[in-house]
Amino acid sequence: MESNQVRERPLPGERAADATPAGLVGTRIRQYRKERGLTLRGLAARSGLSIGFLSQVERGISSIGLTALGSVAKALDHTVAEFFDAGADSPDQAVGPLPTHFTLTRAETPATQYVSAQQTYRMLSERGPDLVLEPMLVHIAPGGRREAAYGHAGEEFAYVISGELLYEVDGVEHRLRPGDSVHLRSSVPHSMYNDTDAVTTVVSVVTPRLF
């Protein structure tokens, strides 16, 4: 998944995934940063991420998780979706008006996906104006560079369905296996990494919504 030529194939029953080359996210970060006249130091100060890490992401050396990308997007006054393929359908495009208090997603409902280097995010619900959770099915490929731990606003929950995940919380590493879960305030520095040789699948729920 690190190759700039690789796109995620849709799962059975899905529409074509909103997948992008891994390097596109870093290119967009650099583009939007320069449009705002920001240095890497300035973006680091606004996003809470390190200069070194942001530099590696912009150059395509390191991947960036969706929640960290949310911090970058906020710092640059863009939506998270804008860092992916410009031709992809936005997840808040829906047929007809949405109720404000609930959504119902059937198994056969076409799913929107985003790819950021090692991680593929499948959105598990439609938009709801009064809803604050972002539920996702995340496939984490092995390898790639490990993200530095960081904190941000909100909460997050991760439940491992298959594979293993190394989850660092406040400087302590925890190995999660199928059936294990972690729930934390996102302001606590944390990171996750797949150090195995197989794909890990996780149900992840974060706040606030990223899209």
Side-chain angles (χ1 to χ4, degrees):
M1 290 176 61
E2 283 190 290
S3 169
N4 288 354
Q5 303 303 316
V6 175
R7 286 175 177 266
E8 182 74 5
R9 295 181 179 178
L11 299 174
E14 293 180 337
R15 69 187 178 206
D18 295 336
T20 70
L24 178 59
V25 173
T27 299
R28 291 272 168 83
I29 291 175
R30 183 189 299 112
Q31 174 191 339
Y32 298 148
R33 174 177 64 78
K34 290 186 174 181
E35 287 175 355
R36 293 192 61 81
L38 282 175
T39 63
L40 277 170
R41 185 179 299 277
L43 179 56
R46 291 187 178 202
S47 66
L49 301 169
S50 73
I51 297 173
F53 174 64
L54 289 171
S55 175
Q56 290 179 343
V57 172
E58 285 193 358
R59 290 181 289 148
I61 297 174
S62 289
S63 62
I64 183 169
L66 212 55
T67 50
L69 182 58
S71 297
V72 171
K74 182 177 181 181
L76 295 174
D77 293 325
H78 282 270
T79 65
V80 171
E82 289 178 281
F83 291 83
F84 296 89
D85 191 350
D89 294 334
S90 171
D92 53 6
Q93 291 178 343
V95 178
L98 285 174
T100 62
H101 57 286
F102 89 105
T103 69
L104 175 62
T105 305
R106 300 291 188 186
E108 64 272 15
T109 301
T112 298
Q113 286 190 173
Y114 292 94
V115 176
S116 178
Q118 306 306 115
Q119 300 175 20
T120 301
Y121 301 88
R122 176 181 177 178
M123 303 293 104
L124 293 180
S125 75
E126 298 292 343
R127 307 299 91 185
D130 293 340
L131 304 178
V132 298
L133 300 180
E134 186 78 271
M136 301 172 286
L137 186 68
V138 187
H139 301 286
I140 307 166
R145 286 180 178 258
R146 184 172 177 175
E147 278 187 42
Y150 67 95
H152 53 87
E155 287 185 45
E156 57 189 84
F157 169 86
Y159 176 87
V160 178
I161 295 178
S162 64
E164 296 184 7
L165 188 64
L166 200 60
Y167 211 109
E168 178 184 333
V169 181
D170 204 17
V172 180
E173 291 184 348
H174 306 273
R175 182 168 297 279
L176 305 184
R177 297 180 173 85
D180 293 341
S181 64
V182 60
H183 183 189
L184 66 145
R185 289 189 180 277
S186 303
S187 56
V188 177
H190 59 282
S191 68
M192 62 180 182
Y193 182 68
N194 180 359
D195 63 345
T196 72
D197 58 1
V199 173
T200 296
T201 300
V202 177
V203 171
S204 176
V205 183
V206 302
T207 64
R209 297 208 87 151
L210 300 168
F211 295 94

